[in-house]
């Protein structure tokens, strides 16, 4: 299992590179949402439709949440680019014994109020036109059942809209979801789908 090893220099460079990259390929980033910072660690889950997802969420974190950015990816992919650990990447190897260590590490990350931990509960890239999100509930269930402290759960849906522009705009939606000791992964999945539906409806009205 590979842990994140944040480097101040690499993080700053990554933030700068991200702004340039997203600005080059896209038009405006339009943020829609509300977040009341309670000074807690953040678990963020979002849709996963492209190579650009993590970059968009880095910018969302810089603008709204302002936490230390952490994210989980498949170990075989992370080993191809270990530099990503310097900006907060950690690994999971599905189906292997080390995956339990990854789950425990995710719980550990959510014990620090300076951390934001992002993961994609679908487990893989899906079409941006996906309207029903089916979660791989292993990690989410483990976090809900084993978290040692309170944290804020944030939903994020990113959608692309071209309109009449050469470059598409990115509509970045985010929402804080209330959870308690009885909240299950199925509850979160249902709430996320309701939020996603509202995002698609909002985009269609623009």
């Amino acid at each position: 299992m590979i842990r994140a090893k944040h480097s101040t220099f690499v993080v700053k460079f990554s933030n700068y590179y991200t702004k340039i990259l997203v600005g080059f390929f896209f038009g405006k980033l339009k943020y829609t949402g509300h977040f009341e910072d309670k000074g807690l660690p953040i678990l963020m889950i979002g849709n996963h439709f492209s190579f650009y997802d993590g970059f968009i969420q880095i910018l969302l974190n810089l603008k709204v949440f302002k936490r230390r950015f952490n994210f989980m990816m498949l170990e075989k992919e992370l080993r191809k680019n270990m530099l990503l650990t310097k900006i907060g990447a950690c690994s999971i190897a599905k189906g292997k014994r080390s995956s339990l260590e990854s789950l425990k590490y995710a719980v550990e990350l959510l014990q620090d109020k300076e951390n934001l931990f992002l993961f994609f509960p679908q487990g893989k890239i899906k079409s941006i036109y996906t309207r029903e999100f089916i979660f791989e509930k292993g990690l989410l269930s483990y976090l809900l059942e084993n978290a040692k402290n309170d944290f804020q759960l944030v939903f994020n849906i990113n959608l692309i809209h071209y309109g009449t522009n050469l470059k598409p705009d990115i509509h970045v939606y985010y929402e804080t979801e209330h959870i308690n000791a009885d909240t299950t992964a199925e509850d979160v999945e249902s709430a996320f789908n309701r939020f996603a539906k509202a995002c698609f409806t909002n985009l269609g009205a623009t």
Side-chain angles (χ1 to χ4, degrees), residues 9 15 25 28 61-62 75 84 93 97 108 122 139 144 153 163 167 176 178:
F9 172 77
N15 292 343
F25 286 103
K28 297 179 180 178
N61 181 51
L62 289 172
E75 184 169 318
L84 293 176
R97 293 179 63 182
E108 180 184 325
Q122 292 172 281
L139 175 57
L144 292 172
L153 175 62
K167 292 183 179 180
T176 306
H178 176 73

Side-chain angles (χ1 to χ4, degrees), residues 27-93:
K28 297 179 180 178
L29 268 70
K30 300 182 179 181
Y31 297 92
T32 303
H34 175 73
F35 172 70
E36 180 184 354
D37 195 339
K38 297 182 179 180
L40 297 171
I42 295 171
L43 173 64
M44 182 164 71
I45 61 177
N47 63 325
H48 192 20
F49 68 90
S50 77
F51 164 83
Y52 296 100
D53 296 328
F55 296 107
I56 299 168
Q57 283 142 344
I58 285 173
L59 295 180
L60 173 60
N61 181 51
L62 289 172
K63 181 177 179 64
V64 179
F65 308 118
K66 300 176 173 59
R67 297 295 204 277
R68 185 188 302 113
F69 193 75
N70 299 270
F71 59 102
M72 183 169 283
M73 57 189 297
L74 292 175
E75 184 169 318
K76 64 179 182 180
E77 298 299 326
L78 181 54
R79 289 195 180 279
K80 296 175 184 178
N81 189 356
M82 291 294 288
L83 184 63
L84 293 176
T85 61
K86 304 295 185 182
I87 63 171
C90 60
S91 75
I92 187 167

Side-chain angles (χ1 to χ4, degrees), residues 181-197:
D182 297 323
T183 300
T184 66
E186 289 75 16
D187 296 332
V188 175
E189 181 183 81
S190 295
F192 187 83
N193 273 285
R194 289 193 295 271
F195 173 63
K197 183 178 179 179

Side-chain angles (χ1 to χ4, degrees), residues 95-141:
K96 296 187 177 181
R97 293 179 63 182
S98 64
S99 63
L100 179 58
E101 186 179 352
S102 297
L103 299 179
K104 292 179 179 178
Y105 180 60
V107 171
E108 180 184 325
L109 288 174
L110 289 178
Q111 291 179 264
D112 188 338
K113 66 181 181 179
E114 299 298 323
N115 283 336
L116 179 151
F117 176 56
L118 162 71
F119 83 102
F120 301 108
Q122 292 172 281
K124 62 181 69 174
I125 291 179
K126 297 283 188 177
S127 169
I128 194 172
Y129 301 108
T130 298
R131 296 299 184 100
E132 181 179 0
F133 296 88
I134 300 173
F135 289 5
E136 292 185 352
K137 300 182 181 66
L139 175 57
L140 181 57
S141 294

